[in-house]
Amino acid sequence: MTDPKRSLLDPAVLAKLGTLKLRVRAVTEGILSGLHRSPHHGQSVEFAEHKEYAPGDDVRRIDWKAYGKFDKYYVKQFEQETNLRCYLVVDASGSMGWKGAEGRLTKLEYASSLAASLAYLLVRQADAAGLVLCADQVVRAIPPAASAGHLLPIVEALSGAEGKGGTRLAAAVDWLVEHAPRRAAVVVLTDLFDQDQKALKQLALLSRRKHEVTLFHVLDPAELEFPYQDPTLFLSTEDGRSVEANGRDIRAGYLEVMEGWLAQVKREAAEQDVDYALCRTDRPLDEVLLPFLARRQRHAA
């Protein structure tokens, strides 16, 4: 369980976010007016397209210049700005409760802090933030809302999350398919230690349903560097399996497998239009958030 004395919202990190905003690459379907492009036509000043006049259309929108050119009535349509609905999916399985060294955050604590910061950012810009905590099933779900008071239950749910059980990201995908019928942003924070080898393809299913999917791949430095040199007992945090081995003997093979797996994940994410970011739990949160927000700002819809 996350240390209750440690706040998931770090004032220093929030201060560095400043006035930055979380933008999306694709159009979105919200309820309130906001920052993001909507597929619906509305009242903003951004011209979208012409539409041939039909009875019932607002005659004030007839484009008389187009009439003079084409001898037909056309009405102007404008982009509608909308607010974003974002689902923060946090893997709370047993492997996420692990940390490679004393004084370091567990992967779940790191992912929860990242998710809480994103929720803060979303609510601050009047977007709707929701939360899905999952392990081998959905443990807790909070539907998206844009009110300032919605931040507290999200942070409390993240603070109380315990890393236990197996990993089955497909459970979160199934939940989103059922409960998020409209376009939304989906931010997934996980170590991807899922026994289902097609877990990433499951997440990509959400992209094909018009959701914009971001994957924060959260790993401990020890998992990336394998610093073990002596005979070591390796225990699974999800199913109790154990293997005793001399770290020095297996390090090269482990690193080769890890490097190949990371390359495969990055390649599949790119192929499935999933925005991917590798997060080491020894890196400050702002080193993850600031480049991510800057990238989104450059590619905003």
Side-chain angles (χ1 to χ4, degrees):
M1 182 182 295
T2 301
D3 182 355
K5 296 179 181 178
R6 189 184 67 82
S7 172
L8 295 180
L9 292 172
D10 184 342
V13 172
L14 301 183
K16 289 181 179 179
L17 297 180
T19 59
L20 288 174
K21 293 181 171 57
L22 173 57
R23 305 295 297 267
V24 291
R25 296 174 297 166
V27 295
T28 184
E29 292 177 87
I31 300 172
L32 309 174
S33 62
L35 286 172
H36 316 281
R37 277 184 58 200
S38 164
H40 308 299
H41 299 295
Q43 304 293 333
S44 83
V45 296
E46 295 291 333
F47 172 73
E49 60 184 0
H50 280 108
K51 168 185 171 296
E52 191 168 356
Y53 176 80
D57 287 339
D58 188 346
V59 295
R60 293 174 297 179
R61 293 191 178 182
I62 291 177
D63 187 337
W64 295 106
K65 288 184 179 178
Y67 173 76
K69 188 174 181 180
F70 301 110
D71 197 26
K72 284 186 177 179
Y73 293 115
Y74 289 94
V75 294
K76 291 181 177 179
Q77 292 186 306
F78 299 86
E79 297 285 359
Q80 182 181 52
E81 303 294 321
T82 184
N83 70 324
L84 167 70
R85 282 173 299 113
C86 180
Y87 294 86
L88 301 163
V89 178
V90 177
D91 177 356
S93 64
S95 63
M96 290 290 287
W98 185 78
K99 60 182 177 183
E102 289 300 321
R104 193 179 293 160
L105 298 180
T106 68
K107 289 180 282 183
L108 179 56
E109 289 171 336
Y110 191 90
S112 295
S113 297
L114 201 53
S117 299
L118 288 169
Y120 166 83
L121 200 61
L122 288 160
V123 170
R124 189 186 68 176
Q125 64 189 41
D127 284 328
L131 175 67
V132 180
L133 285 173
C134 71
D136 53 0
Q137 61 183 335
V138 172
V139 178
R140 175 91 185 268
I142 299 176
S147 66
H150 196 61
L151 181 61
L152 181 59
I154 289 178
V155 173
E156 287 181 341
L158 288 167
S159 298
E162 297 181 61
K164 62 181 182 181
T167 306
R168 197 172 78 85
L169 291 174
V173 173
D174 291 343
W175 188 94
L176 288 165
V177 168
E178 181 179 354
H179 294 89
R182 295 159 63 182
R183 299 182 198 192
V186 178
V187 178
V188 183
L189 304 102
T190 175
D191 57 12
L192 277 180
F193 290 165
D194 193 320
Q195 292 190 0
D196 184 351
Q197 301 297 314
K198 298 180 179 178
L200 189 55
K201 286 186 170 59
Q202 293 284 337
L203 295 178
L205 174 65
L206 298 172
S207 295
R208 292 196 290 277
R209 296 178 71 88
K210 307 297 183 185
H211 298 307
E212 182 173 294
V213 182
T214 298
L215 172 61
F216 286 111
H217 194 184
V218 182
L219 292 172
D220 189 280
E223 293 169 330
L224 294 166
E225 300 167 356
F226 203 78
Y228 312 103
Q229 297 290 331
D230 301 321
T232 306
L233 180 63
F234 299 94
L235 300 171
S236 168
T237 53
E238 298 196 358
D239 59 15
R241 288 178 299 164
S242 64
V243 174
E244 187 170 4
N246 190 318
R248 188 179 296 105
D249 294 341
I250 64 174
R251 183 172 187 270
Y254 173 92
L255 291 177
E256 182 179 358
V257 171
M258 173 60 76
E259 184 179 351
W261 179 58
L262 290 176
Q264 178 186 348
V265 169
K266 290 177 185 175
R267 183 176 61 253
E268 290 185 4
E271 290 172 352
Q272 304 292 343
D273 196 29
V274 172
D275 193 6
Y276 174 87
L278 177 63
C279 309
R280 292 172 54 113
T281 57
D282 62 343
R283 295 286 188 267
L285 288 180
D286 53 279
E287 287 189 10
V288 176
L289 287 169
L290 294 177
F292 168 67
L293 295 173
R295 188 168 69 250
R296 284 307 179 86
Q297 187 66 37
R298 288 196 300 272
H299 301 291

